[in-house]
Every structure is written in structure tokens, then in C-alpha cells.
mmCIF file of all heavy atoms in Angstrom:
data_model
loop_
_atom_site.group_PDB
_atom_site.id
_atom_site.type_symbol
_atom_site.label_atom_id
_atom_site.label_comp_id
_atom_site.label_asym_id
_atom_site.label_seq_id
_atom_site.Cartn_x
_atom_site.Cartn_y
_atom_site.Cartn_z
ATOM 1 N N GLY O 268 0.760 -1.267 -0.003
ATOM 2 C CA GLY O 268 -0.042 -0.023 0.004
ATOM 3 C C GLY O 268 0.826 1.230 -0.019
ATOM 4 O O GLY O 268 0.562 2.162 0.848
ATOM 5 N N GLN O 269 1.799 1.341 -0.947
ATOM 6 C CA GLN O 269 2.580 2.631 -1.011
ATOM 7 C C GLN O 269 1.678 3.816 -1.350
ATOM 8 O O GLN O 269 0.822 3.651 -2.242
ATOM 9 C CB GLN O 269 3.642 2.461 -2.119
ATOM 10 C CG GLN O 269 4.679 3.594 -2.148
ATOM 11 C CD GLN O 269 5.821 3.330 -3.059
ATOM 12 O OE1 GLN O 269 5.929 2.171 -3.648
ATOM 13 N NE2 GLN O 269 6.685 4.252 -3.246
ATOM 14 N N PRO O 270 1.745 4.977 -0.673
ATOM 15 C CA PRO O 270 0.888 6.075 -1.001
ATOM 16 C C PRO O 270 1.143 6.641 -2.303
ATOM 17 O O PRO O 270 2.270 6.635 -2.826
ATOM 18 C CB PRO O 270 1.258 7.133 0.155
ATOM 19 C CG PRO O 270 2.647 6.763 0.494
ATOM 20 C CD PRO O 270 2.768 5.284 0.416
ATOM 21 N N PRO O 271 0.052 7.121 -3.012
ATOM 22 C CA PRO O 271 0.210 7.726 -4.395
ATOM 23 C C PRO O 271 1.014 9.031 -4.214
ATOM 24 O O PRO O 271 1.077 9.641 -3.160
ATOM 25 C CB PRO O 271 -1.260 7.983 -4.824
ATOM 26 C CG PRO O 271 -2.009 7.969 -3.497
ATOM 27 C CD PRO O 271 -1.305 7.085 -2.569
ATOM 28 N N ASP O 272 1.530 9.514 -5.357
ATOM 29 C CA ASP O 272 2.341 10.647 -5.393
ATOM 30 C C ASP O 272 1.690 11.891 -4.715
ATOM 31 O O ASP O 272 2.285 12.630 -3.918
ATOM 32 C CB ASP O 272 2.746 11.037 -6.804
ATOM 33 C CG ASP O 272 3.761 10.073 -7.413
ATOM 34 O OD1 ASP O 272 4.225 9.186 -6.596
ATOM 35 O OD2 ASP O 272 3.983 10.108 -8.605
ATOM 36 N N LYS O 273 0.366 12.074 -5.102
ATOM 37 C CA LYS O 273 -0.313 13.300 -4.610
ATOM 38 C C LYS O 273 -0.487 13.286 -3.060
ATOM 39 O O LYS O 273 -0.715 14.323 -2.489
ATOM 40 C CB LYS O 273 -1.636 13.467 -5.281
ATOM 41 C CG LYS O 273 -2.659 12.334 -4.904
ATOM 42 C CD LYS O 273 -3.937 12.582 -5.684
ATOM 43 C CE LYS O 273 -5.011 11.489 -5.274
ATOM 44 N NZ LYS O 273 -6.294 11.766 -5.934
ATOM 45 N N ASN O 274 -0.463 12.111 -2.390
ATOM 46 C CA ASN O 274 -0.607 11.949 -0.940
ATOM 47 C C ASN O 274 0.665 11.907 -0.193
ATOM 48 O O ASN O 274 0.678 11.697 1.053
ATOM 49 C CB ASN O 274 -1.490 10.823 -0.638
ATOM 50 C CG ASN O 274 -2.882 10.906 -1.203
ATOM 51 O OD1 ASN O 274 -3.307 10.131 -2.039
ATOM 52 N ND2 ASN O 274 -3.573 11.858 -0.680
ATOM 53 N N CYS O 275 1.762 12.060 -0.853
ATOM 54 C CA CYS O 275 3.096 12.041 -0.123
ATOM 55 C C CYS O 275 3.297 13.316 0.699
ATOM 56 O O CYS O 275 2.665 14.292 0.526
ATOM 57 C CB CYS O 275 4.234 11.955 -1.106
ATOM 58 S SG CYS O 275 4.434 10.297 -1.971
ATOM 59 N N PHE O 276 4.133 13.088 1.779
ATOM 60 C CA PHE O 276 4.443 14.254 2.622
ATOM 61 C C PHE O 276 3.309 14.836 3.368
ATOM 62 O O PHE O 276 3.229 16.053 3.603
ATOM 63 C CB PHE O 276 5.247 15.281 1.901
ATOM 64 C CG PHE O 276 6.377 14.782 0.997
ATOM 65 C CD1 PHE O 276 6.277 14.829 -0.319
ATOM 66 C CD2 PHE O 276 7.461 14.284 1.650
ATOM 67 C CE1 PHE O 276 7.274 14.362 -1.155
ATOM 68 C CE2 PHE O 276 8.513 13.777 0.790
ATOM 69 C CZ PHE O 276 8.352 13.792 -0.551
ATOM 70 N N ASN O 277 2.246 14.025 3.602
ATOM 71 C CA ASN O 277 0.980 14.583 4.110
ATOM 72 C C ASN O 277 0.533 13.644 5.302
ATOM 73 O O ASN O 277 0.219 12.450 5.090
ATOM 74 C CB ASN O 277 -0.067 14.638 3.076
ATOM 75 C CG ASN O 277 -1.254 15.459 3.473
ATOM 76 O OD1 ASN O 277 -1.619 15.594 4.584
ATOM 77 N ND2 ASN O 277 -1.876 16.098 2.435
ATOM 78 N N ASP O 278 0.396 14.182 6.529
ATOM 79 C CA ASP O 278 0.025 13.419 7.643
ATOM 80 C C ASP O 278 -1.444 12.874 7.558
ATOM 81 O O ASP O 278 -1.743 11.893 8.123
ATOM 82 C CB ASP O 278 0.071 14.320 8.939
ATOM 83 C CG ASP O 278 1.446 14.333 9.533
ATOM 84 O OD1 ASP O 278 2.166 13.372 9.366
ATOM 85 O OD2 ASP O 278 1.721 15.326 10.166
ATOM 86 N N SER O 279 -2.246 13.587 6.814
ATOM 87 C CA SER O 279 -3.739 13.315 6.862
ATOM 88 C C SER O 279 -4.111 11.941 6.319
ATOM 89 O O SER O 279 -5.247 11.476 6.627
ATOM 90 C CB SER O 279 -4.470 14.423 6.151
ATOM 91 O OG SER O 279 -4.242 14.400 4.757
ATOM 92 N N ILE O 280 -3.222 11.316 5.577
ATOM 93 C CA ILE O 280 -3.614 9.955 5.069
ATOM 94 C C ILE O 280 -3.328 8.884 6.055
ATOM 95 O O ILE O 280 -3.864 7.778 5.903
ATOM 96 C CB ILE O 280 -2.875 9.638 3.769
ATOM 97 C CG1 ILE O 280 -1.308 9.542 3.958
ATOM 98 C CG2 ILE O 280 -3.078 10.752 2.659
ATOM 99 C CD1 ILE O 280 -0.605 9.078 2.785
ATOM 100 N N TYR O 281 -2.615 9.233 7.153
ATOM 101 C CA TYR O 281 -2.356 8.143 8.155
ATOM 102 C C TYR O 281 -2.763 8.591 9.582
ATOM 103 O O TYR O 281 -2.747 7.742 10.439
ATOM 104 C CB TYR O 281 -0.829 7.856 8.171
ATOM 105 C CG TYR O 281 -0.301 7.231 6.882
ATOM 106 C CD1 TYR O 281 0.702 7.819 6.176
ATOM 107 C CD2 TYR O 281 -0.930 6.055 6.413
ATOM 108 C CE1 TYR O 281 1.180 7.234 4.969
ATOM 109 C CE2 TYR O 281 -0.442 5.469 5.187
ATOM 110 C CZ TYR O 281 0.620 6.061 4.485
ATOM 111 O OH TYR O 281 0.965 5.515 3.262
ATOM 112 N N TRP O 282 -3.068 9.844 9.732
ATOM 113 C CA TRP O 282 -3.321 10.379 11.112
ATOM 114 C C TRP O 282 -4.617 11.188 11.149
ATOM 115 O O TRP O 282 -4.973 11.751 10.148
ATOM 116 C CB TRP O 282 -2.222 11.230 11.567
ATOM 117 C CG TRP O 282 -0.849 10.623 11.708
ATOM 118 C CD1 TRP O 282 0.055 10.464 10.713
ATOM 119 C CD2 TRP O 282 -0.265 9.941 12.832
ATOM 120 N NE1 TRP O 282 1.185 9.797 11.145
ATOM 121 C CE2 TRP O 282 0.959 9.502 12.429
ATOM 122 C CE3 TRP O 282 -0.715 9.819 14.143
ATOM 123 C CZ2 TRP O 282 1.852 8.839 13.339
ATOM 124 C CZ3 TRP O 282 0.159 9.158 15.034
ATOM 125 C CH2 TRP O 282 1.388 8.732 14.642
ATOM 126 N N GLU O 283 -5.252 11.137 12.294
ATOM 127 C CA GLU O 283 -6.348 12.031 12.523
ATOM 128 C C GLU O 283 -5.746 13.370 12.878
ATOM 129 O O GLU O 283 -5.063 13.601 13.939
ATOM 130 C CB GLU O 283 -7.236 11.587 13.713
ATOM 131 C CG GLU O 283 -8.076 10.360 13.380
ATOM 132 C CD GLU O 283 -9.178 10.669 12.480
ATOM 133 O OE1 GLU O 283 -9.513 11.860 12.236
ATOM 134 O OE2 GLU O 283 -9.831 9.695 11.929
ATOM 135 N N VAL O 284 -5.811 14.321 11.977
ATOM 136 C CA VAL O 284 -5.201 15.678 12.161
ATOM 137 C C VAL O 284 -6.273 16.642 12.675
ATOM 138 O O VAL O 284 -7.250 16.872 12.015
ATOM 139 C CB VAL O 284 -4.588 16.189 10.780
ATOM 140 C CG1 VAL O 284 -3.923 17.525 11.071
ATOM 141 C CG2 VAL O 284 -3.597 15.165 10.281
ATOM 142 N N PRO O 285 -6.083 17.112 13.847
ATOM 143 C CA PRO O 285 -7.143 17.886 14.564
ATOM 144 C C PRO O 285 -7.439 19.286 13.988
ATOM 145 O O PRO O 285 -6.585 19.891 13.400
ATOM 146 C CB PRO O 285 -6.628 17.980 15.976
ATOM 147 C CG PRO O 285 -5.199 17.971 15.854
ATOM 148 C CD PRO O 285 -4.914 16.965 14.766
ATOM 149 N N GLY O 286 -8.600 19.721 14.161
ATOM 150 C CA GLY O 286 -9.028 21.096 13.972
ATOM 151 C C GLY O 286 -8.784 21.679 12.557
ATOM 152 O O GLY O 286 -8.945 21.002 11.561
ATOM 153 N N GLU O 287 -8.374 22.909 12.546
ATOM 154 C CA GLU O 287 -8.245 23.585 11.319
ATOM 155 C C GLU O 287 -7.121 23.068 10.428
ATOM 156 O O GLU O 287 -7.221 23.122 9.232
ATOM 157 C CB GLU O 287 -7.882 25.113 11.665
ATOM 158 C CG GLU O 287 -8.979 25.851 12.370
ATOM 159 C CD GLU O 287 -8.580 27.262 12.732
ATOM 160 O OE1 GLU O 287 -7.430 27.700 12.367
ATOM 161 O OE2 GLU O 287 -9.454 28.058 13.226
ATOM 162 N N GLU O 288 -6.200 22.463 11.033
ATOM 163 C CA GLU O 288 -5.128 21.801 10.274
ATOM 164 C C GLU O 288 -5.665 20.732 9.293
ATOM 165 O O GLU O 288 -5.292 20.659 8.185
ATOM 166 C CB GLU O 288 -4.054 21.196 11.206
ATOM 167 C CG GLU O 288 -2.804 20.636 10.508
ATOM 168 C CD GLU O 288 -1.809 21.646 10.070
ATOM 169 O OE1 GLU O 288 -2.077 22.797 10.423
ATOM 170 O OE2 GLU O 288 -0.882 21.318 9.407
ATOM 171 N N ASN O 289 -6.540 19.923 9.883
ATOM 172 C CA ASN O 289 -7.152 18.922 9.062
ATOM 173 C C ASN O 289 -8.001 19.475 7.958
ATOM 174 O O ASN O 289 -7.952 18.974 6.742
ATOM 175 C CB ASN O 289 -8.101 18.074 9.943
ATOM 176 C CG ASN O 289 -8.466 16.687 9.261
ATOM 177 O OD1 ASN O 289 -7.772 16.304 8.372
ATOM 178 N ND2 ASN O 289 -9.537 16.111 9.730
ATOM 179 N N GLU O 290 -8.693 20.477 8.195
ATOM 180 C CA GLU O 290 -9.569 21.222 7.219
ATOM 181 C C GLU O 290 -8.680 21.743 6.048
ATOM 182 O O GLU O 290 -8.938 21.759 4.925
ATOM 183 C CB GLU O 290 -10.399 22.254 7.853
ATOM 184 C CG GLU O 290 -11.462 21.713 8.775
ATOM 185 C CD GLU O 290 -12.218 22.847 9.447
ATOM 186 O OE1 GLU O 290 -11.960 23.998 9.132
ATOM 187 O OE2 GLU O 290 -13.026 22.520 10.373
ATOM 188 N N SER O 291 -7.555 22.308 6.505
ATOM 189 C CA SER O 291 -6.573 22.932 5.579
ATOM 190 C C SER O 291 -6.021 21.925 4.604
ATOM 191 O O SER O 291 -5.904 22.170 3.414
ATOM 192 C CB SER O 291 -5.469 23.674 6.288
ATOM 193 O OG SER O 291 -4.480 24.080 5.518
ATOM 194 N N LEU O 292 -5.633 20.720 5.142
ATOM 195 C CA LEU O 292 -5.134 19.677 4.340
ATOM 196 C C LEU O 292 -6.172 19.164 3.401
ATOM 197 O O LEU O 292 -5.857 18.992 2.284
ATOM 198 C CB LEU O 292 -4.596 18.544 5.284
ATOM 199 C CG LEU O 292 -3.478 18.824 6.255
ATOM 200 C CD1 LEU O 292 -3.140 17.608 7.066
ATOM 201 C CD2 LEU O 292 -2.160 19.166 5.395
ATOM 202 N N ALA O 293 -7.426 18.964 3.872
ATOM 203 C CA ALA O 293 -8.424 18.540 2.974
ATOM 204 C C ALA O 293 -8.760 19.452 1.942
ATOM 205 O O ALA O 293 -8.881 19.037 0.742
ATOM 206 C CB ALA O 293 -9.671 18.209 3.887
ATOM 207 N N HIS O 294 -8.737 20.741 2.255
ATOM 208 C CA HIS O 294 -8.997 21.782 1.212
ATOM 209 C C HIS O 294 -7.893 21.812 0.229
ATOM 210 O O HIS O 294 -8.086 21.983 -0.967
ATOM 211 C CB HIS O 294 -9.026 23.120 1.942
ATOM 212 C CG HIS O 294 -9.229 24.264 1.002
ATOM 213 N ND1 HIS O 294 -10.413 24.512 0.251
ATOM 214 C CD2 HIS O 294 -8.325 25.301 0.516
ATOM 215 C CE1 HIS O 294 -10.262 25.587 -0.544
ATOM 216 N NE2 HIS O 294 -9.063 26.057 -0.335
ATOM 217 N N SER O 295 -6.659 21.632 0.677
ATOM 218 C CA SER O 295 -5.529 21.529 -0.249
ATOM 219 C C SER O 295 -5.554 20.448 -1.227
ATOM 220 O O SER O 295 -5.382 20.533 -2.420
ATOM 221 C CB SER O 295 -4.209 21.460 0.532
ATOM 222 O OG SER O 295 -3.084 21.332 -0.219
ATOM 223 N N ASP O 296 -5.963 19.215 -0.684
ATOM 224 C CA ASP O 296 -6.152 18.111 -1.550
ATOM 225 C C ASP O 296 -7.277 18.259 -2.557
ATOM 226 O O ASP O 296 -7.158 17.915 -3.727
ATOM 227 C CB ASP O 296 -6.421 16.873 -0.728
ATOM 228 C CG ASP O 296 -5.200 16.367 0.074
ATOM 229 O OD1 ASP O 296 -4.048 16.746 -0.340
ATOM 230 O OD2 ASP O 296 -5.351 15.579 1.009
ATOM 231 N N HIS O 297 -8.391 18.836 -2.066
ATOM 232 C CA HIS O 297 -9.531 19.104 -2.944
ATOM 233 C C HIS O 297 -9.251 20.073 -4.055
ATOM 234 O O HIS O 297 -9.521 19.923 -5.221
ATOM 235 C CB HIS O 297 -10.698 19.610 -2.123
ATOM 236 C CG HIS O 297 -11.912 20.020 -2.902
ATOM 237 N ND1 HIS O 297 -12.731 19.112 -3.429
ATOM 238 C CD2 HIS O 297 -12.407 21.256 -3.268
ATOM 239 C CE1 HIS O 297 -13.730 19.670 -4.160
ATOM 240 N NE2 HIS O 297 -13.497 20.983 -4.071
ATOM 241 N N SER O 298 -8.504 21.149 -3.697
ATOM 242 C CA SER O 298 -8.140 22.097 -4.714
ATOM 243 C C SER O 298 -7.206 21.521 -5.747
ATOM 244 O O SER O 298 -7.333 21.743 -6.917
ATOM 245 C CB SER O 298 -7.454 23.347 -4.031
ATOM 246 O OG SER O 298 -8.326 23.927 -3.046
ATOM 247 N N LYS O 299 -6.273 20.719 -5.247
ATOM 248 C CA LYS O 299 -5.307 20.115 -6.177
ATOM 249 C C LYS O 299 -6.018 19.164 -7.124
ATOM 250 O O LYS O 299 -5.750 19.163 -8.385
ATOM 251 C CB LYS O 299 -4.224 19.381 -5.391
ATOM 252 C CG LYS O 299 -3.152 18.788 -6.353
ATOM 253 C CD LYS O 299 -2.019 18.209 -5.469
ATOM 254 C CE LYS O 299 -0.956 17.655 -6.407
ATOM 255 N NZ LYS O 299 0.135 16.970 -5.669
ATOM 256 N N ASN O 300 -6.912 18.316 -6.603
ATOM 257 C CA ASN O 300 -7.670 17.386 -7.453
ATOM 258 C C ASN O 300 -8.579 18.097 -8.417
ATOM 259 O O ASN O 300 -8.699 17.682 -9.563
ATOM 260 C CB ASN O 300 -8.576 16.471 -6.553
ATOM 261 C CG ASN O 300 -7.665 15.522 -5.708
ATOM 262 O OD1 ASN O 300 -6.561 15.225 -6.046
ATOM 263 N ND2 ASN O 300 -8.315 15.041 -4.656
#
């Protein structure tokens, strides 16, 4: 299960990232996709 390129260097695929940080990561992934 090696992570895909777009999900590299990102805590949110393996960790519950609390609060605004999690929202920021999700928004970043959504914008990129």
C-alpha cells in the first residue's frame, strides 16, 4: 500500500489531524484534485 504521489508528505492520510489543520489539508487536496 505505497501512498500515491499526490498524498506524499501529508499526515492526513495516516493520522487524525485535529481542527483547522485537518480542514486545511483536506482543502489543499480538494483544490489540487
Side-chain angles (χ1 to χ4, degrees):
Q269 187 172 357
D272 290 351
K273 66 179 181 179
N274 295 114
C275 287
F276 312 109
N277 196 327
D278 275 334
S279 63
I280 65 172
Y281 296 123
W282 299 86
E283 289 289 345
V284 183
E287 296 178 356
E288 184 78 7
N289 194 23
E290 295 175 6
S291 174
L292 293 176
H294 176 72
S295 175
D296 288 342
H297 175 73
S298 299
K299 184 176 180 180
N300 293 336

